[in-house]
Every structure is written in C-alpha cells, then in structure tokens.
Amino acid sequence: VEAAREVAVSSPLAFEPYFVIAQVAAQQGRRDEALALMLETLKRRPNYLLTRLHLAMLYGQANQGREAFQHLNFLLRYAS
C-alpha cells in the first residue's frame, strides 16, 4: 500500500495506485474510503471495467442499488 501511495504522489495522472489502495481499504472493511478511492480511479480512467465492477459491489454492499445498477448497466452495455 505504501508503494502505491508513493506512485500516486509521483505520477499524479496514474489510476492504478488508487485502485490498489481502494481494494485494500475494501478488504479491511473501510467501505467509505474504498468508495472514494474507486471514484477517484473512475475519474482518472472512466472505461476501466474492473473499477466499474468494484463500484457496483461497493454500492451494493452499502445498499445503494441505484448507483450499483448504473455501473452494472455500463458493464452490460460495454460487453454487448
């Protein structure tokens, strides 16, 4: 995680560090932090499908079905 934070600082346009740190936060049960980091990842790389999938899962866990559906819908449209 510390290495990802260093990359985030040294490469301000990179999305990968935010994605990695978000996954760690989610695994540790810090859903709000994970969600904020995934949203930052989305802002930096809107078409990265794994970000959309993780956002759908995080929103689903937070009982925010509308937001989860938006990301699932994106994935379904992209896949077809």
Side-chain angles (χ1 to χ4, degrees):
V1 173
E2 198 55 42
R5 290 185 198 280
E6 289 176 17
V7 172
V9 171
S10 66
S11 302
L13 298 179
F15 76 96
E16 296 92 337
Y18 295 93
F19 184 79
V20 170
I21 298 168
Q23 287 183 305
V24 171
Q27 290 173 354
Q28 294 177 344
R30 301 187 328 261
R31 186 175 53 227
D32 292 341
E33 181 182 351
L35 191 54
L37 289 163
M38 279 298 172
L39 289 171
E40 182 62 32
T41 302
L42 181 66
K43 191 185 322 178
R44 292 165 182 268
R45 185 68 60 91
N47 293 329
Y48 189 57
L49 298 181
L50 284 177
T51 299
R52 299 285 185 159
L53 178 62
H54 283 277
L55 280 168
M57 291 187 304
L58 288 167
Y59 278 126
Q61 292 169 356
N63 294 320
Q64 296 179 2
R66 181 183 205 109
E67 290 83 357
F69 179 76
Q70 289 174 345
H71 294 289
L72 289 173
N73 190 40
F74 179 91
L75 288 167
L76 290 172
R77 284 184 296 146
Y78 194 86
S80 54

